[in-house]
Structures are given as structure tokens and as C-alpha cells.
Amino acid sequence: MSEKAAGGRRQRTDKQRNRTHILEVAEHFFAEQGITGSMDAIAKRAGVGPGTLYRHFPTREALLAALLQARDEELEDRREAIRREVSDSRAALAQWLRALGEWVTAFDGLPEPLRAALTGGTSPLALTCQSLIANTEEFLRAAQRDGGAKPWVRGRDLFLSTLATAWASGAALADESSLDALDSLVRTGWETPEGEAAPS
């Protein structure tokens, strides 16, 4: 290998190492401080200059998208487990929404940039949101076909309600019972009770 090629390979390795390290630091930082914590503080904790951080992640949304991508595999595993193990489509939708709700509370404050990404198509989080909505639609359509969900409900609305529930359960007035109560309220909105025909 030539000296130039070796140098290029070293630079790529260093770049990847820096990126991985920044993600590890940001994961802990956002877990402690929430997603509104200073980007410069992340760079300082990672031992890199702000320029290095922004070369890897030009915006906070880009950094969040990379962090959430690392969590996608766990959510994908849960989705597949629900598909495989839950035969009742109504229960499957409820379990998926609970899994989704846990995913969107990975970091304090996360629901807001996800909501904003739905209206700002340039956000790096937009594709993540669209994928989650598509998965929600899949579970919803199955429940609607089986009469377990109201026909006018949309996957996008369920995704937004999940974000709203996650936000509200972290609000100052919330307590340990708030999340379950809010989940139940949302469920009464989309669910057709067992034995009751869904209205046309």
C-alpha cells in the first residue's frame, strides 16, 4: 500500500472513530440534559472542537437522527415480535403504539423535533417519522379490516397522538399514572370495543 493510500485510510479510520465517539458522548449527554442541551457542550465533553462536531452532524436534528438510527434495530425487533406473536390485530396495534411511545421518549424533549419534522420535509428526522407512520398504518389497517379500529382513524394521527402523549406524560403536572391514563384515553379514540361493529 502506498504512503498516500495509507494516509487516506488512516484519515477515514480517525473520522469514523471521532463520529462514533461523538455519538456515544451525545447519547449520555442527551439522556442527562435532554435534547436542548448545548451542542458546544457535547463537543467539549467529547474532547473535539465544535468544527469537528458540526462536520459530522451539521444540525441538532442530524445528530438526533443518527442516535435514533442506532435505536431503530430494537424497535424493529419489537415490531417483528408483535407481528409474530400477537394474532389479535386490535391488541397488536395497542402493543405497537406502546412500543412507539417508549421509543419517542428515548430523550427528554424528543417529541417536539419529531413533530416538527412532519411539517419540515428537509429535517433529517423526516424519513424516520415517515417510516414510523407507515408501520403504524400497517398495524392500523389490519385492525380496521378486523373491525377492531374505527375506519376514519389514520396512522399519521396515531403517530401524532403518541408524540402528544409522550410530551404530556413528561409535563410538570404529570405523575406516575399519567402515561397509562393518557394511553387509555387515546385507545378509546381509535378502538372499536370487542363485540361492537365499527361504524361505517
Side-chain angles (χ1 to χ4, degrees), residues 89-90 92-94 96-97 133-159 190-191:
S89 57
R90 178 192 288 108
L93 175 57
W96 165 250
L97 292 175
I133 290 171
N135 289 330
T136 303
E137 282 281 3
E138 183 181 332
F139 283 105
L140 172 61
R141 283 195 299 269
Q144 288 171 329
R145 281 194 304 269
D146 295 341
K150 294 166 184 171
W152 50 264
V153 178
R154 302 181 304 169
R156 182 184 180 90
D157 298 328
L158 288 181
F159 179 71
W190 64 257
E191 182 179 44

mmCIF file of all heavy atoms in Angstrom, residues 89-90 92-94 96-97 133-159 190-191:
data_model
loop_
_atom_site.group_PDB
_atom_site.id
_atom_site.type_symbol
_atom_site.label_atom_id
_atom_site.label_comp_id
_atom_site.label_asym_id
_atom_site.label_seq_id
_atom_site.Cartn_x
_atom_site.Cartn_y
_atom_site.Cartn_z
ATOM 1 N N SER A 89 -55.432 -8.394 16.012
ATOM 2 C CA SER A 89 -54.942 -7.167 15.377
ATOM 3 C C SER A 89 -55.163 -5.929 16.246
ATOM 4 O O SER A 89 -54.379 -4.985 16.217
ATOM 5 C CB SER A 89 -55.602 -6.971 14.014
ATOM 6 O OG SER A 89 -57.015 -6.935 14.141
ATOM 7 N N ARG A 90 -56.249 -5.930 17.042
ATOM 8 C CA ARG A 90 -56.500 -4.812 17.948
ATOM 9 C C ARG A 90 -55.402 -4.739 19.011
ATOM 10 O O ARG A 90 -54.834 -3.674 19.273
ATOM 11 C CB ARG A 90 -57.865 -4.987 18.628
ATOM 12 C CG ARG A 90 -58.206 -3.900 19.624
ATOM 13 C CD ARG A 90 -59.403 -4.265 20.463
ATOM 14 N NE ARG A 90 -60.644 -4.207 19.724
ATOM 15 C CZ ARG A 90 -61.342 -5.262 19.345
ATOM 16 N NH1 ARG A 90 -60.908 -6.483 19.614
ATOM 17 N NH2 ARG A 90 -62.475 -5.124 18.698
ATOM 18 N N ALA A 92 -52.451 -6.069 18.763
ATOM 19 C CA ALA A 92 -51.173 -5.812 18.094
ATOM 20 C C ALA A 92 -50.967 -4.313 17.898
ATOM 21 O O ALA A 92 -49.864 -3.786 18.139
ATOM 22 C CB ALA A 92 -51.117 -6.539 16.757
ATOM 23 N N LEU A 93 -52.014 -3.606 17.472
ATOM 24 C CA LEU A 93 -51.909 -2.155 17.298
ATOM 25 C C LEU A 93 -51.621 -1.474 18.625
ATOM 26 O O LEU A 93 -50.766 -0.588 18.714
ATOM 27 C CB LEU A 93 -53.197 -1.606 16.682
ATOM 28 C CG LEU A 93 -53.291 -0.081 16.545
ATOM 29 C CD1 LEU A 93 -52.126 0.479 15.734
ATOM 30 C CD2 LEU A 93 -54.641 0.316 15.937
ATOM 31 N N ALA A 94 -52.312 -1.895 19.679
ATOM 32 C CA ALA A 94 -52.092 -1.299 21.000
ATOM 33 C C ALA A 94 -50.653 -1.525 21.463
ATOM 34 O O ALA A 94 -50.004 -0.615 22.006
ATOM 35 C CB ALA A 94 -53.072 -1.883 22.012
ATOM 36 N N TRP A 96 -48.018 -2.077 19.536
ATOM 37 C CA TRP A 96 -47.109 -1.284 18.698
ATOM 38 C C TRP A 96 -47.087 0.179 19.156
ATOM 39 O O TRP A 96 -46.027 0.804 19.242
ATOM 40 C CB TRP A 96 -47.522 -1.371 17.228
ATOM 41 C CG TRP A 96 -46.855 -0.318 16.386
ATOM 42 C CD1 TRP A 96 -47.435 0.770 15.808
ATOM 43 C CD2 TRP A 96 -45.460 -0.242 16.047
ATOM 44 N NE1 TRP A 96 -46.500 1.520 15.138
ATOM 45 C CE2 TRP A 96 -45.276 0.926 15.266
ATOM 46 C CE3 TRP A 96 -44.360 -1.037 16.333
ATOM 47 C CZ2 TRP A 96 -44.036 1.301 14.767
ATOM 48 C CZ3 TRP A 96 -43.116 -0.659 15.831
ATOM 49 C CH2 TRP A 96 -42.960 0.499 15.055
ATOM 50 N N LEU A 97 -48.251 0.726 19.467
ATOM 51 C CA LEU A 97 -48.310 2.116 19.916
ATOM 52 C C LEU A 97 -47.578 2.296 21.240
ATOM 53 O O LEU A 97 -46.931 3.330 21.460
ATOM 54 C CB LEU A 97 -49.762 2.577 20.037
ATOM 55 C CG LEU A 97 -50.525 2.705 18.712
ATOM 56 C CD1 LEU A 97 -51.984 3.061 18.968
ATOM 57 C CD2 LEU A 97 -49.874 3.734 17.796
ATOM 58 N N ILE A 133 -44.721 6.154 10.674
ATOM 59 C CA ILE A 133 -46.121 6.304 10.296
ATOM 60 C C ILE A 133 -46.560 5.140 9.416
ATOM 61 O O ILE A 133 -47.656 4.582 9.576
ATOM 62 C CB ILE A 133 -46.350 7.653 9.583
ATOM 63 C CG1 ILE A 133 -46.203 8.798 10.597
ATOM 64 C CG2 ILE A 133 -47.735 7.701 8.928
ATOM 65 C CD1 ILE A 133 -46.188 10.177 9.965
ATOM 66 N N ALA A 134 -45.698 4.734 8.478
ATOM 67 C CA ALA A 134 -46.026 3.606 7.598
ATOM 68 C C ALA A 134 -46.213 2.321 8.403
ATOM 69 O O ALA A 134 -47.140 1.538 8.147
ATOM 70 C CB ALA A 134 -44.920 3.421 6.559
ATOM 71 N N ASN A 135 -45.353 2.093 9.388
ATOM 72 C CA ASN A 135 -45.506 0.912 10.240
ATOM 73 C C ASN A 135 -46.796 0.969 11.048
ATOM 74 O O ASN A 135 -47.487 -0.045 11.225
ATOM 75 C CB ASN A 135 -44.308 0.790 11.189
ATOM 76 C CG ASN A 135 -43.040 0.388 10.474
ATOM 77 O OD1 ASN A 135 -43.081 -0.314 9.473
ATOM 78 N ND2 ASN A 135 -41.904 0.833 10.972
ATOM 79 N N THR A 136 -47.116 2.163 11.540
ATOM 80 C CA THR A 136 -48.353 2.343 12.296
ATOM 81 C C THR A 136 -49.566 2.082 11.404
ATOM 82 O O THR A 136 -50.533 1.421 11.817
ATOM 83 C CB THR A 136 -48.417 3.766 12.883
ATOM 84 O OG1 THR A 136 -47.259 3.994 13.711
ATOM 85 C CG2 THR A 136 -49.673 3.964 13.722
ATOM 86 N N GLU A 137 -49.510 2.577 10.163
ATOM 87 C CA GLU A 137 -50.591 2.346 9.197
ATOM 88 C C GLU A 137 -50.810 0.851 8.969
ATOM 89 O O GLU A 137 -51.948 0.393 8.856
ATOM 90 C CB GLU A 137 -50.258 3.014 7.860
ATOM 91 C CG GLU A 137 -50.485 4.506 7.813
ATOM 92 C CD GLU A 137 -51.942 4.883 7.617
ATOM 93 O OE1 GLU A 137 -52.795 3.971 7.568
ATOM 94 O OE2 GLU A 137 -52.230 6.091 7.546
ATOM 95 N N GLU A 138 -49.728 0.107 8.910
ATOM 96 C CA GLU A 138 -49.835 -1.335 8.667
ATOM 97 C C GLU A 138 -50.618 -2.025 9.782
ATOM 98 O O GLU A 138 -51.531 -2.814 9.527
ATOM 99 C CB GLU A 138 -48.442 -1.936 8.542
ATOM 100 C CG GLU A 138 -48.427 -3.409 8.209
ATOM 101 C CD GLU A 138 -47.017 -3.963 8.117
ATOM 102 O OE1 GLU A 138 -46.095 -3.201 7.794
ATOM 103 O OE2 GLU A 138 -46.850 -5.165 8.391
ATOM 104 N N PHE A 139 -50.259 -1.714 11.039
ATOM 105 C CA PHE A 139 -50.989 -2.297 12.171
ATOM 106 C C PHE A 139 -52.426 -1.792 12.207
ATOM 107 O O PHE A 139 -53.358 -2.546 12.507
ATOM 108 C CB PHE A 139 -50.282 -1.964 13.484
ATOM 109 C CG PHE A 139 -49.062 -2.793 13.752
ATOM 110 C CD1 PHE A 139 -47.795 -2.248 13.606
ATOM 111 C CD2 PHE A 139 -49.171 -4.116 14.158
ATOM 112 C CE1 PHE A 139 -46.657 -3.011 13.856
ATOM 113 C CE2 PHE A 139 -48.044 -4.892 14.405
ATOM 114 C CZ PHE A 139 -46.777 -4.339 14.252
ATOM 115 N N LEU A 140 -52.609 -0.509 11.905
ATOM 116 C CA LEU A 140 -53.943 0.084 11.939
ATOM 117 C C LEU A 140 -54.859 -0.543 10.895
ATOM 118 O O LEU A 140 -56.011 -0.896 11.192
ATOM 119 C CB LEU A 140 -53.845 1.597 11.718
ATOM 120 C CG LEU A 140 -55.169 2.345 11.544
ATOM 121 C CD1 LEU A 140 -56.041 2.210 12.791
ATOM 122 C CD2 LEU A 140 -54.904 3.814 11.215
ATOM 123 N N ARG A 141 -54.364 -0.697 9.659
ATOM 124 C CA ARG A 141 -55.201 -1.263 8.599
ATOM 125 C C ARG A 141 -55.658 -2.678 8.939
ATOM 126 O O ARG A 141 -56.798 -3.055 8.661
ATOM 127 C CB ARG A 141 -54.450 -1.249 7.267
ATOM 128 C CG ARG A 141 -54.405 0.126 6.603
ATOM 129 C CD ARG A 141 -53.997 0.030 5.147
ATOM 130 N NE ARG A 141 -52.673 -0.536 4.984
ATOM 131 C CZ ARG A 141 -51.549 0.166 4.928
ATOM 132 N NH1 ARG A 141 -51.613 1.481 5.038
ATOM 133 N NH2 ARG A 141 -50.391 -0.433 4.766
ATOM 134 N N ALA A 142 -54.761 -3.452 9.558
ATOM 135 C CA ALA A 142 -55.142 -4.815 9.963
ATOM 136 C C ALA A 142 -56.270 -4.771 10.992
ATOM 137 O O ALA A 142 -57.241 -5.529 10.907
ATOM 138 C CB ALA A 142 -53.928 -5.559 10.519
ATOM 139 N N ALA A 143 -56.152 -3.852 11.967
ATOM 140 C CA ALA A 143 -57.196 -3.734 12.991
ATOM 141 C C ALA A 143 -58.503 -3.233 12.372
ATOM 142 O O ALA A 143 -59.591 -3.677 12.764
ATOM 143 C CB ALA A 143 -56.726 -2.791 14.099
ATOM 144 N N GLN A 144 -58.418 -2.325 11.416
ATOM 145 C CA GLN A 144 -59.634 -1.831 10.760
ATOM 146 C C GLN A 144 -60.308 -2.927 9.941
ATOM 147 O O GLN A 144 -61.538 -3.043 9.946
ATOM 148 C CB GLN A 144 -59.284 -0.624 9.876
ATOM 149 C CG GLN A 144 -58.957 0.624 10.690
ATOM 150 C CD GLN A 144 -58.411 1.755 9.836
ATOM 151 O OE1 GLN A 144 -57.741 1.519 8.820
ATOM 152 N NE2 GLN A 144 -58.661 2.988 10.239
ATOM 153 N N ARG A 145 -59.506 -3.732 9.237
ATOM 154 C CA ARG A 145 -60.086 -4.835 8.461
ATOM 155 C C ARG A 145 -60.839 -5.818 9.351
ATOM 156 O O ARG A 145 -61.863 -6.374 8.970
ATOM 157 C CB ARG A 145 -58.982 -5.593 7.700
ATOM 158 C CG ARG A 145 -58.506 -4.922 6.439
ATOM 159 C CD ARG A 145 -57.693 -5.874 5.583
ATOM 160 N NE ARG A 145 -56.563 -6.447 6.305
ATOM 161 C CZ ARG A 145 -55.346 -5.910 6.329
ATOM 162 N NH1 ARG A 145 -55.094 -4.777 5.673
ATOM 163 N NH2 ARG A 145 -54.361 -6.500 6.994
ATOM 164 N N ASP A 146 -60.311 -6.003 10.584
ATOM 165 C CA ASP A 146 -60.921 -6.955 11.518
ATOM 166 C C ASP A 146 -62.008 -6.321 12.379
ATOM 167 O O ASP A 146 -62.557 -6.978 13.265
ATOM 168 C CB ASP A 146 -59.841 -7.560 12.425
ATOM 169 C CG ASP A 146 -58.836 -8.399 11.650
ATOM 170 O OD1 ASP A 146 -59.159 -8.806 10.518
ATOM 171 O OD2 ASP A 146 -57.721 -8.623 12.178
ATOM 172 N N GLY A 147 -62.299 -5.046 12.135
ATOM 173 C CA GLY A 147 -63.337 -4.364 12.905
ATOM 174 C C GLY A 147 -62.893 -3.914 14.280
ATOM 175 O O GLY A 147 -63.721 -3.523 15.107
ATOM 176 N N GLY A 148 -61.595 -3.928 14.546
ATOM 177 C CA GLY A 148 -61.102 -3.557 15.871
ATOM 178 C C GLY A 148 -60.710 -2.102 16.018
ATOM 179 O O GLY A 148 -60.426 -1.640 17.124
ATOM 180 N N ALA A 149 -60.675 -1.373 14.891
ATOM 181 C CA ALA A 149 -60.327 0.050 14.936
ATOM 182 C C ALA A 149 -61.299 0.819 14.052
ATOM 183 O O ALA A 149 -61.763 0.314 13.026
ATOM 184 C CB ALA A 149 -58.891 0.267 14.462
ATOM 185 N N LYS A 150 -61.592 2.033 14.447
ATOM 186 C CA LYS A 150 -62.555 2.850 13.714
ATOM 187 C C LYS A 150 -61.998 3.202 12.327
ATOM 188 O O LYS A 150 -60.813 3.490 12.185
ATOM 189 C CB LYS A 150 -62.861 4.108 14.522
ATOM 190 C CG LYS A 150 -63.593 3.763 15.822
ATOM 191 C CD LYS A 150 -63.620 4.895 16.815
ATOM 192 C CE LYS A 150 -64.279 4.441 18.125
ATOM 193 N NZ LYS A 150 -64.152 5.410 19.199
ATOM 194 N N PRO A 151 -62.852 3.150 11.314
ATOM 195 C CA PRO A 151 -62.372 3.283 9.937
ATOM 196 C C PRO A 151 -61.832 4.659 9.563
ATOM 197 O O PRO A 151 -61.078 4.789 8.611
ATOM 198 C CB PRO A 151 -63.611 2.933 9.092
ATOM 199 C CG PRO A 151 -64.774 3.167 9.990
ATOM 200 C CD PRO A 151 -64.300 2.862 11.373
ATOM 201 N N TRP A 152 -62.198 5.696 10.308
ATOM 202 C CA TRP A 152 -61.756 7.042 9.967
ATOM 203 C C TRP A 152 -60.398 7.402 10.566
ATOM 204 O O TRP A 152 -59.819 8.436 10.236
ATOM 205 C CB TRP A 152 -62.801 8.068 10.414
ATOM 206 C CG TRP A 152 -63.237 7.907 11.855
ATOM 207 C CD1 TRP A 152 -64.331 7.247 12.305
ATOM 208 C CD2 TRP A 152 -62.565 8.401 13.023
ATOM 209 N NE1 TRP A 152 -64.402 7.291 13.681
ATOM 210 C CE2 TRP A 152 -63.320 7.999 14.143
ATOM 211 C CE3 TRP A 152 -61.406 9.141 13.231
ATOM 212 C CZ2 TRP A 152 -62.955 8.317 15.448
ATOM 213 C CZ3 TRP A 152 -61.031 9.457 14.535
ATOM 214 C CH2 TRP A 152 -61.811 9.047 15.618
ATOM 215 N N VAL A 153 -59.867 6.542 11.437
ATOM 216 C CA VAL A 153 -58.587 6.820 12.086
ATOM 217 C C VAL A 153 -57.452 6.664 11.075
ATOM 218 O O VAL A 153 -57.477 5.771 10.227
ATOM 219 C CB VAL A 153 -58.367 5.865 13.288
ATOM 220 C CG1 VAL A 153 -57.016 6.111 13.933
ATOM 221 C CG2 VAL A 153 -59.486 6.040 14.304
ATOM 222 N N ARG A 154 -56.435 7.543 11.157
ATOM 223 C CA ARG A 154 -55.276 7.487 10.268
ATOM 224 C C ARG A 154 -54.009 7.200 11.066
ATOM 225 O O ARG A 154 -53.889 7.605 12.227
ATOM 226 C CB ARG A 154 -55.099 8.808 9.511
ATOM 227 C CG ARG A 154 -56.300 9.235 8.676
ATOM 228 C CD ARG A 154 -56.007 10.538 7.950
ATOM 229 N NE ARG A 154 -55.602 11.592 8.882
ATOM 230 C CZ ARG A 154 -55.084 12.760 8.479
ATOM 231 N NH1 ARG A 154 -54.907 13.022 7.197
ATOM 232 N NH2 ARG A 154 -54.744 13.677 9.382
ATOM 233 N N GLY A 155 -53.045 6.545 10.418
ATOM 234 C CA GLY A 155 -51.769 6.255 11.070
ATOM 235 C C GLY A 155 -51.037 7.506 11.480
ATOM 236 O O GLY A 155 -50.406 7.557 12.542
ATOM 237 N N ARG A 156 -51.109 8.539 10.648
ATOM 238 C CA ARG A 156 -50.447 9.805 10.973
ATOM 239 C C ARG A 156 -51.000 10.388 12.273
ATOM 240 O O ARG A 156 -50.258 10.910 13.107
ATOM 241 C CB ARG A 156 -50.644 10.789 9.814
ATOM 242 C CG ARG A 156 -49.962 12.149 9.995
ATOM 243 C CD ARG A 156 -50.319 13.076 8.833
ATOM 244 N NE ARG A 156 -49.693 14.377 8.982
ATOM 245 C CZ ARG A 156 -48.496 14.685 8.508
ATOM 246 N NH1 ARG A 156 -47.789 13.778 7.860
ATOM 247 N NH2 ARG A 156 -48.001 15.907 8.679
ATOM 248 N N ASP A 157 -52.321 10.305 12.441
ATOM 249 C CA ASP A 157 -52.940 10.841 13.657
ATOM 250 C C ASP A 157 -52.527 10.037 14.889
ATOM 251 O O ASP A 157 -52.312 10.609 15.969
ATOM 252 C CB ASP A 157 -54.461 10.836 13.515
ATOM 253 C CG ASP A 157 -54.933 11.719 12.367
ATOM 254 O OD1 ASP A 157 -54.264 12.735 12.094
ATOM 255 O OD2 ASP A 157 -55.943 11.379 11.735
ATOM 256 N N LEU A 158 -52.421 8.724 14.737
ATOM 257 C CA LEU A 158 -51.978 7.896 15.862
ATOM 258 C C LEU A 158 -50.529 8.218 16.223
ATOM 259 O O LEU A 158 -50.164 8.236 17.405
ATOM 260 C CB LEU A 158 -52.128 6.415 15.533
ATOM 261 C CG LEU A 158 -53.559 5.877 15.488
ATOM 262 C CD1 LEU A 158 -53.551 4.389 15.168
ATOM 263 C CD2 LEU A 158 -54.286 6.132 16.807
ATOM 264 N N PHE A 159 -49.696 8.457 15.209
ATOM 265 C CA PHE A 159 -48.304 8.831 15.482
ATOM 266 C C PHE A 159 -48.257 10.161 16.235
ATOM 267 O O PHE A 159 -47.544 10.301 17.228
ATOM 268 C CB PHE A 159 -47.529 8.931 14.171
ATOM 269 C CG PHE A 159 -46.093 9.331 14.349
ATOM 270 C CD1 PHE A 159 -45.175 8.450 14.910
ATOM 271 C CD2 PHE A 159 -45.656 10.589 13.968
ATOM 272 C CE1 PHE A 159 -43.841 8.815 15.080
ATOM 273 C CE2 PHE A 159 -44.325 10.964 14.135
ATOM 274 C CZ PHE A 159 -43.421 10.078 14.693
ATOM 275 N N TRP A 190 -59.426 5.407 19.145
ATOM 276 C CA TRP A 190 -59.258 4.641 17.900
ATOM 277 C C TRP A 190 -59.920 3.268 17.932
ATOM 278 O O TRP A 190 -60.264 2.711 16.901
ATOM 279 C CB TRP A 190 -57.778 4.478 17.549
ATOM 280 C CG TRP A 190 -56.921 3.682 18.501
ATOM 281 C CD1 TRP A 190 -56.044 4.191 19.412
ATOM 282 C CD2 TRP A 190 -56.819 2.248 18.613
ATOM 283 N NE1 TRP A 190 -55.414 3.180 20.101
ATOM 284 C CE2 TRP A 190 -55.869 1.977 19.621
ATOM 285 C CE3 TRP A 190 -57.438 1.176 17.975
ATOM 286 C CZ2 TRP A 190 -55.526 0.677 19.999
ATOM 287 C CZ3 TRP A 190 -57.097 -0.122 18.343
ATOM 288 C CH2 TRP A 190 -56.151 -0.360 19.343
ATOM 289 N N GLU A 191 -60.129 2.720 19.127
ATOM 290 C CA GLU A 191 -60.558 1.323 19.238
ATOM 291 C C GLU A 191 -62.067 1.160 19.112
ATOM 292 O O GLU A 191 -62.850 1.937 19.643
ATOM 293 C CB GLU A 191 -60.101 0.760 20.585
ATOM 294 C CG GLU A 191 -60.448 -0.706 20.789
ATOM 295 C CD GLU A 191 -59.958 -1.216 22.136
ATOM 296 O OE1 GLU A 191 -60.140 -0.503 23.142
ATOM 297 O OE2 GLU A 191 -59.403 -2.315 22.182
#
